[in-house]
Amino acid sequence: MATANTILKINNIEVKYHEVILVIKGVSIEVPEGGIVALLGANGAGKSTTLKAISGLLNHENGRVTDGSIEFMGERIDRQPPEKIAKRGIVQVIEGRRVFEHLTVEQNLKVGAHMRKYGRSIKEGLEMVYHYFPRLLQKRNEIAGFISGGEQQMTVVGRALMTQPKLILLDEPSMGLAPLLIHEIFNIITRLHAEEKISILLVEQNAKLALNVAPHAYVMENGRIVMDDSAAKLRENPDIKDFYLGMTEFGGRKSFREIKHYKRRKRWLT
């Protein structure tokens, strides 16, 4: 992907857990400044591990980038602790809607504000979050552990916004949500990208949804990038239609149970 300004550059990284378990092999990804890029793949492909390698959270799981490098705004960050990476402007929204369940919605949002050094005040930050997530304004005094899953997802994205990030790492924002809520959240993500000019690396299993949001995407399988291209070209790629959109080459629906894994690998590795 040719870009004038690249905010994030992952250069041929290798990731191991416990020094011996190789989970990512030779992955290279670029995110343009102010752009949005999707990382697609099935469960266990290595998508979340890639995000944790960027944010430094691998350090808390006995994982490490053992080869290659990760650069943010031209500076290498893969050897830095997660708190320093966060202060540079990278925030990860971890999958599973990790709210502080005993705090109110607004208290959860304010947690993100402690990363601020300058810019918007806490009040201005809250006003911005409530502008994009008006439902959170109605729920601001409710305990976060008792609101709906969709509202919890809005809360963790809002908390990330309170840090005034330069790059958001979004991990499976659609997981476990009803279709109407998924589209509501993705519409808000699209607005955030367009209006706030925040760079986004989106990890998502729902390929159709991700390709509608991100103009460029990478496909990961078994710890490797097997394909990357514009969203328009990927939507028309027969492999993507078969394996991620569930479509036959004649436009009909196809069950994933009918697709052989070895066939996919043979086609992608030739």
Side-chain angles (χ1 to χ4, degrees), residues 14-263:
E14 174 184 280
V15 171
K16 290 181 181 177
Y17 283 108
H18 306 283
E19 301 291 339
V20 292
I21 305 171
L22 182 64
V23 291
I24 288 181
K25 311 155 231 182
V27 165
S28 295
I29 294 172
E30 292 188 14
V31 178
E33 187 173 359
I36 179 167
V37 171
L39 180 57
L40 311 177
N43 274 334
K47 306 184 304 297
S48 294
T49 296
T50 301
L51 295 192
K52 290 174 183 176
I54 299 165
S55 65
L57 294 181
L58 279 178
N59 298 341
H60 300 295
E61 299 182 355
N62 220 346
R64 190 166 65 89
V65 176
T66 53
D67 199 5
S69 64
I70 301 173
E71 298 174 10
F72 178 66
M73 300 180 69
E75 295 187 23
R76 189 166 179 175
I77 61 170
D78 53 280
R79 296 173 179 172
Q80 295 180 0
E83 61 272 18
K84 189 170 182 180
I85 293 172
K87 288 178 180 177
R88 286 181 173 272
I90 299 176
V91 60
Q92 181 174 348
V93 179
I94 300 173
E95 67 176 313
R97 305 186 288 275
R98 308 287 184 89
V99 297
F100 296 103
E101 296 184 353
H102 61 292
L103 299 180
T104 67
V105 167
E106 189 159 292
Q107 287 170 337
N108 266 271
L109 296 176
K110 287 180 177 179
V111 167
H114 83 281
M115 295 296 298
R116 296 168 178 269
K117 290 184 178 179
Y118 49 84
R120 292 187 181 102
S121 66
I122 293 177
K123 181 181 177 182
E124 290 170 331
L126 288 171
E127 288 173 352
M128 184 263 293
V129 171
Y130 293 145
H131 168 70
Y132 287 106
F133 299 100
R135 194 180 302 196
L136 296 185
L137 179 60
Q138 302 169 9
K139 300 283 184 176
R140 67 187 184 277
N141 294 319
E142 295 191 21
I143 301 300
F146 296 121
I147 61 176
S148 72
E151 291 160 352
Q152 288 180 345
Q153 186 65 62
M154 293 176 188
T155 300
V156 295
V157 174
R159 188 173 64 204
L161 290 175
M162 289 291 290
T163 70
Q164 294 185 218
K166 296 182 178 72
L167 172 66
I168 294 181
L169 310 174
L170 267 178
D171 197 353
E172 302 283 6
S174 72
M175 182 180 289
L177 299 183
L180 283 177
L181 274 174
I182 291 172
H183 286 286
E184 181 180 349
I185 287 173
F186 270 79
N187 285 337
I188 293 169
I189 290 170
T190 303
R191 284 181 57 207
L192 277 170
H193 167 246
E195 297 171 14
E196 301 295 329
K197 307 302 181 187
I198 300 170
S199 303
I200 298 173
L201 178 56
L202 168 67
V203 158
E204 183 56 60
Q205 284 192 66
N206 188 328
K208 183 177 181 180
L209 198 58
L211 292 175
N212 284 336
V213 170
H216 195 96
Y218 294 79
V219 181
M220 177 175 263
E221 185 166 302
N222 292 331
R224 296 182 185 273
I225 299 295
V226 294
M227 187 184 303
D228 79 278
D229 213 327
S230 68
K233 289 183 179 179
L234 287 174
R235 277 193 294 267
E236 297 305 315
N237 185 287
D239 291 330
I240 298 299
K241 284 183 175 181
D242 275 355
F243 312 133
Y244 291 101
L245 301 180
M247 303 290 292
T248 69
E249 54 188 65
F250 300 106
R253 300 298 299 176
K254 177 179 282 191
S255 167
F256 287 111
R257 292 188 180 90
E258 299 172 5
I259 301 168
K260 298 294 186 181
H261 174 76
Y262 73 84
K263 179 183 176 184

